[in-house]
Amino acid sequence: MFASGPETGHENRGVSRPLLVPMPFIWPYGGSRVFLTGSFTRWSEHIPMSPMEGCPTVFQVICSLSPGYHQFKFFVDGEWRHDERQPFVNGNYGVVNTVFIARELDVVSPSLSPEAPSRSHMDVDDVFIRSEPVPTISDADLEVSRQRAATFLSRHTAYELLPDSSKVIALDVNIAVKQAFHILHEQGIPVAPLWDSFKGQFVGVLSALDFILILRELGNHGSNLTEEELETHTISAWKEGKVHLSRQIDGNARSYPRCLVHAGPYDSLKDVVLKILTSKVAMVPIIHSASQDGSFPQLLNLATLSEVLKCILRHFKHSSSSLPILQQPVCSIPLGTWVPKIGESNGQSLAMLRPNASLGAALSLLVQANVSSIPIVDENDSLLDVYSRSDITALAKDKAYAQIRLDEMNIHQALQLCQDANSINGQRCQMCLRSDTLHKVMERLASPGVRRLVIVEAGSKRVEGIISLSDVFRFLLGVQLEKV
């Protein structure tokens, strides 16, 4: 969306037209109707700003401006506002924000350079984004924030995660795998605990990763598992067969199956978080037994990092200043996985795919890279969608898995099958900006169903990184673990 005002629409007869640089303007503080005006519109035109897809509280517009010094202001729901986090001065129109755009000799517009690669527009954007000092936090404030967060988690228990009323679904290990995944899809849940009636215990979980491994095994010409067997193949039989598959994938001698990772209602929230992080699982069942031998266990709840995050936000709601780290922009702290900047060779790479990549390639990447989601981007690395492990359960609908071939179906087609699944308020892609504070990111991650936020560049939606719930807790607790 490019807005043209008096400055960008005129013609200079007999004079070469000056370089116009696309300049993104962002209002990240919400509102119903937001407009932009400034010296580049001679303060006479109000340019409407649009809410960013996936970030309804962030409004944006891109204006093509000439190099030089500009002043601007926002008109939000009938009130004149300025952004206190951007440079501002007192001018003829009150307090206004300012921006300086480098002249033609200092910056080359990628649209005028045929040799420029398709992503070169980020060079221009970086001139403006990085020209402003990024707030930093002292080591002392970081340590204080981590200590207070850890203290809170240590003093509160999993009992506080129990809702007043809820429904928890568990699956018997003797039902067919096909039926189990139908249940997961119909109930809209990515994982369910497994109950062994013979042992009288909860013995594990069935997750979307299991379905991914099953589909890959079905697509393997040397597989002993056929589509017919899947109709009667029990969860118990699959879990036994998974031992061999897991050893093939891991390439090591880890013992399988692992014991069920669970917690009790009186375990601390810190213990719950550490169990989720170290075991690399999406949730842990909260199980209680009145007997010392653990017989007659009761499944009370499924504890997730999202629920723990809500507890933290509630506790520090009126005392957020006691956690100084909350007001830091996410770009200024070691949080999440970021696309390496030009010239950087270190750091973990961010896995991304094009929509025409095969579903088989996506599933292989989810398993081999040990990630839970993959941003789907266009040729400019702008975000189109996200393919997650949990999306695979959509193939259980109408036995779609029996009609597809993983290498023949592309990601775009696979996403069409789950366009209504895993969406939050109608949005599948949950996004944030690099300038968003940690507090704002945590609030969004605490929303039901949100497990990660894709960091995008305002306007272009070019992917800059990704922040997961696990990333936030690793950072808050200072835990160094391999990322999931």
Side-chain angles (χ1 to χ4, degrees):
M1 178 197 324
F2 285 82
S4 59
E7 175 178 309
T8 60
H10 70 275
E11 294 183 4
N12 296 321
R13 298 184 180 180
V15 181
S16 61
R17 186 171 179 174
L19 170 71
L20 295 180
V21 180
M23 176 65 194
F25 290 90
I26 308 296
W27 176 258
Y29 307 112
S32 299
R33 301 183 67 195
V34 182
F35 297 87
L36 172 74
T37 190
S39 56
F40 42 87
T41 69
R42 300 188 180 92
W43 301 98
S44 60
E45 179 184 353
H46 291 184
I47 302 171
M49 303 181 72
S50 301
M52 187 173 176
E53 183 182 357
C55 293
T57 61
V58 178
F59 288 77
Q60 62 176 341
V61 70
I62 300 178
C63 298
S64 294
L65 305 182
S66 59
Y69 178 79
H70 299 277
Q71 296 181 348
F72 60 96
K73 205 163 185 175
F74 302 94
F75 193 60
V76 183
D77 296 339
E79 294 184 12
W80 288 106
R81 305 277 298 275
H82 70 281
D83 188 346
E84 295 183 353
R85 294 184 181 175
Q86 298 186 47
F88 60 87
V89 297
N90 281 303
N92 296 332
Y93 295 88
V95 180
V96 296
N97 291 116
T98 63
V99 63
F100 178 77
I101 300 179
R103 298 192 176 276
E104 188 171 0
L105 293 178
D106 301 322
V107 63
V108 178
S109 171
S111 61
L112 301 179
S113 175
E115 293 82 12
S118 60
R119 292 188 355 173
S120 295
H121 67 276
M122 69 181 180
D123 298 337
V124 178
D125 292 339
D126 286 350
V127 169
F128 310 116
I129 295 174
R130 296 178 186 172
S131 62
E132 308 301 336
V134 176
T136 57
I137 188 170
S138 67
D139 291 341
D141 282 344
L142 175 59
E143 186 59 31
V144 166
S145 297
R146 284 176 166 169
Q147 183 178 10
R148 288 173 178 167
T151 298
F152 167 78
L153 293 174
S154 297
R155 291 178 177 176
H156 293 257
T157 67
Y159 187 84
E160 298 178 44
L161 301 179
L162 303 183
D164 293 333
S165 63
S166 65
K167 177 178 68 174
V168 182
I169 296 176
L171 302 174
D172 193 288
V173 293
N174 292 316
I175 69 172
V177 170
K178 182 203 72 170
Q179 182 183 357
F181 284 110
H182 274 289
I183 295 172
L184 292 184
H185 173 69
E186 291 170 359
Q187 297 296 325
I189 55 176
V191 62
L194 299 177
W195 171 257
D196 189 323
S197 55
F198 178 76
K199 296 180 179 179
Q201 294 179 345
F202 291 97
V203 294
V205 297
L206 188 73
S207 70
L209 179 60
D210 288 300
F211 199 19
I212 290 174
L213 294 175
I214 287 173
L215 289 181
R216 294 181 73 211
E217 183 69 3
L218 286 174
N220 181 4
H221 296 298
S223 172
N224 293 321
L225 181 63
T226 65
E227 293 171 12
E228 291 76 16
E229 289 175 332
L230 191 59
E231 300 288 327
T232 56
H233 210 61
T234 65
I235 298 175
S236 178
W238 158 248
K239 287 296 185 179
E240 291 178 7
K242 185 182 175 184
V243 175
H244 177 66
L245 284 178
S246 298
R247 286 193 177 123
Q248 286 183 325
I249 293 169
D250 289 352
N252 60 36
R254 279 199 296 171
S255 59
Y256 288 89
R258 294 183 295 178
C259 296
L260 172 65
V261 179
H262 67 281
Y266 302 109
D267 288 352
S268 72
L269 291 180
K270 184 176 181 180
D271 287 340
V272 171
V273 169
L274 291 176
K275 285 182 178 182
I276 292 176
L277 294 180
T278 56
S279 303
K280 301 177 184 177
V281 293
M283 61 84 200
V284 293
I286 305 299
I287 299 175
H288 175 66
S289 176
S291 58
Q292 292 185 350
D293 61 359
S295 58
F296 305 105
Q298 292 178 298
L299 178 61
L300 303 180
N301 192 28
L302 302 180
T304 64
L305 294 179
S306 176
E307 295 298 322
V308 179
L309 193 59
K310 288 179 185 176
C311 289
I312 294 177
L313 292 172
R314 281 197 301 266
H315 180 77
F316 291 99
K317 181 177 181 179
H318 301 296
S319 59
S320 58
S321 59
S322 62
L323 293 183
I325 193 65
L326 293 183
Q327 302 310 317
Q328 286 297 117
V330 291
C331 64
S332 67
I333 53 182
L335 176 68
T337 301
W338 294 74
V339 175
K341 301 182 183 70
I342 295 177
E344 285 186 349
S345 58
N346 59 342
Q348 181 180 356
S349 60
L350 180 63
M352 295 186 286
L353 287 175
R354 302 280 189 263
N356 60 353
S358 71
L359 178 58
L363 300 187
S364 295
L365 189 56
L366 287 170
V367 173
Q368 294 168 2
N370 199 22
V371 294
S372 60
S373 65
I374 305 169
I376 308 303
V377 298
D378 64 14
E379 63 277 3
N380 295 317
D381 286 352
S382 295
L383 185 66
L384 299 174
D385 211 321
V386 173
Y387 195 83
S388 306
R389 285 182 185 175
S390 55
D391 287 326
I392 199 66
T393 58
L395 297 182
K397 183 179 180 181
D398 300 324
K399 294 177 59 176
Y401 59 83
Q403 284 83 42
I404 69 166
R405 294 294 178 265
L406 298 183
D407 293 332
E408 296 176 2
M409 173 177 278
N410 61 38
I411 296 175
H412 175 73
Q413 293 168 329
L415 287 169
Q416 296 301 306
L417 297 174
C418 53
Q419 50 186 310
D420 296 327
N422 303 314
S423 62
I424 312 298
N425 296 325
Q427 301 288 343
R428 279 180 47 84
C429 300
Q430 304 302 312
M431 296 173 277
C432 67
L433 304 176
R434 61 186 296 124
S435 58
D436 286 343
T437 63
L438 176 59
H439 184 263
K440 186 173 183 179
V441 165
M442 289 169 61
E443 285 184 323
R444 301 209 56 175
L445 284 171
S447 301
V450 179
R451 290 193 59 193
R452 68 201 62 83
L453 297 178
V454 181
I455 310 164
V456 298
E457 179 185 74
S460 69
K461 291 173 65 176
R462 180 174 58 85
V463 173
E464 296 188 315
I466 192 166
I467 298 174
S468 69
L469 280 163
S470 298
D471 292 329
V472 170
F473 280 96
R474 273 192 294 264
F475 173 72
L476 285 178
L477 296 177
V479 178
Q480 300 296 323
L481 293 171
E482 180 185 352
K483 291 190 176 182
V484 181

